[in-house]
Amino acid sequence: MKSFQNQRFYCRKIKKQVMLGLAYLAVIFGLFWLVWILYTLVMKGIPALSFDLFTQATPAPNEKGGLMNAILGSILMVSVATFIATPIGILAGTYLSEYGRYSYLAKVTRFLNDILLSAPSIIIGLFIYAIYVAQVQHYSGWAGSLALAMLVIPVVVRTTDSMLNLVPNNLREAAAALGCPQWRVITMICYRAARSGIITGVLLSVARISGETAPLLFTALSNQFTSWDMNGPMANLPVVIYQYAASPFEDWNNLAWAGATLITLFVLSLNVLTRVYFNKHK
């Protein structure tokens, strides 16, 4: 009997070691490609960074220039998209978690939100093109912002819903017992408890739309000149990177690597600063 138990023990131990080994191999495999991508980006992108990159507009072939207009356009469209989508996403997520958690409407909304969350970004771009660009008959920064906002909303909705569901019901019940109305319980207790998770969701959505190219090709397109006019075609980093990376001109290729480096450094810095801030204010 003891020998049989020992055999089962060693068999389980061997299986455990094998599965751990496979898990470690999977982690190493994933990290290998991540490190390779970052290494290539740093080696080719960092040397291309310069002061002119932030002070000059995109140049003609074989001329000196930078990415100032593309950087400005990306900042404007991402900011407008985040400003539009964040309140909508938070309010929708609040309804799903606090008001209609088990209702039929909430189930349908979650299902549709999951579909929108996994929808290819090019489909969103075509949708905005059909309902806005084709109607006004010109590309614009507003159309690009709407397309990016459509990508932000489902991420913020899902994150807000999930984070608010993690808040213990005891906190809600204690506040209700003291006579607090539901809206005050949500704003003063639930939002504060779920604040870090909600903001993380917003930042994840910002990181996602910062590098989206497909929806902007159908909405904002691009502009060779520096422009603050959101009602006309507007340059942006993802489209410029796409155009310059595929070009036969070496100076444009270098600008594409520099733009990709800027987006990567922005996303990494945003995530690091957010984690440091919330670790200090726990």
Side-chain angles (χ1 to χ4, degrees), residues 39-97:
Y39 174 78
T40 304
L41 188 65
V42 169
M43 294 302 295
K44 294 189 176 183
I46 295 298
L49 297 178
S50 64
F51 182 73
D52 292 340
L53 198 71
F54 305 95
T55 57
Q56 297 184 18
T58 49
N62 299 319
E63 293 185 6
K64 291 184 178 180
L67 297 173
M68 182 183 68
N69 55 331
I71 295 172
L72 175 63
S74 288
I75 292 174
L76 286 176
M77 286 190 284
V78 170
S79 300
V80 172
T82 306
F83 179 78
I84 293 173
T86 299
I88 296 174
I90 291 177
L91 291 175
T94 302
Y95 167 78
L96 295 177
S97 176

Side-chain angles (χ1 to χ4, degrees), residues 35-282:
V35 171
W36 192 359
I37 292 172
L38 291 177
Y39 174 78
T40 304
L41 188 65
V42 169
M43 294 302 295
K44 294 189 176 183
I46 295 298
L49 297 178
S50 64
F51 182 73
D52 292 340
L53 198 71
F54 305 95
T55 57
Q56 297 184 18
T58 49
N62 299 319
E63 293 185 6
K64 291 184 178 180
L67 297 173
M68 182 183 68
N69 55 331
I71 295 172
L72 175 63
S74 288
I75 292 174
L76 286 176
M77 286 190 284
V78 170
S79 300
V80 172
T82 306
F83 179 78
I84 293 173
T86 299
I88 296 174
I90 291 177
L91 291 175
T94 302
Y95 167 78
L96 295 177
S97 176
E98 302 296 329
Y99 291 96
R101 180 177 298 187
Y102 304 110
S103 66
Y104 178 77
L105 178 60
K107 294 179 181 178
V108 173
T109 304
R110 288 191 183 96
F111 176 73
L112 295 177
N113 187 76
D114 290 343
I115 294 176
L116 188 60
L117 188 64
S118 58
S121 59
I122 192 171
I123 303 299
I124 303 299
L126 286 170
F127 173 73
I128 299 299
Y129 177 86
I131 67 170
Y132 182 80
V133 178
Q135 305 303 319
V136 300
Q137 299 182 355
H138 64 82
Y139 299 99
S140 67
W142 293 118
S145 298
L146 289 176
L148 296 179
M150 291 288 291
L151 296 172
V152 173
I153 289 174
V155 178
V156 178
V157 170
R158 167 63 73 86
T159 306
T160 303
D161 183 23
S162 300
M163 292 299 103
L164 290 176
N165 283 331
L166 294 177
V167 177
N169 285 327
N170 293 338
L171 295 178
R172 298 180 177 89
E173 294 170 357
L178 294 175
C180 289
Q182 188 172 8
W183 67 268
R184 185 173 291 275
V185 173
I186 294 171
T187 55
M188 301 301 294
I189 296 177
C190 296
Y191 279 166
R192 289 187 178 183
R195 178 181 59 181
S196 60
I198 294 174
I199 294 179
T200 300
V202 174
L203 294 178
L204 286 174
S205 62
V206 171
R208 179 187 177 185
I209 64 175
S210 296
E212 285 290 350
T213 306
L216 297 180
L217 285 171
F218 294 98
T219 53
L221 197 59
S222 189
N223 189 345
Q224 189 178 352
F225 308 100
T226 302
S227 174
W228 292 84
D229 184 12
M230 294 284 288
N231 202 38
M234 180 167 284
N236 53 88
L237 278 175
V239 173
V240 169
I241 292 170
Y242 167 75
Q243 294 173 339
Y244 283 15
S247 72
F249 306 106
E250 184 178 356
D251 51 342
W252 278 14
N253 295 154
N254 292 333
L255 287 176
W257 282 111
T261 304
L262 287 178
I263 291 178
T264 304
L265 292 178
F266 168 74
V267 173
L268 289 175
S269 301
L270 197 62
N271 282 276
V272 170
L273 291 175
T274 304
R275 290 179 180 274
V276 171
Y277 173 80
F278 282 117
N279 285 336
K280 288 183 177 180
H281 293 81
K282 280 185 177 180

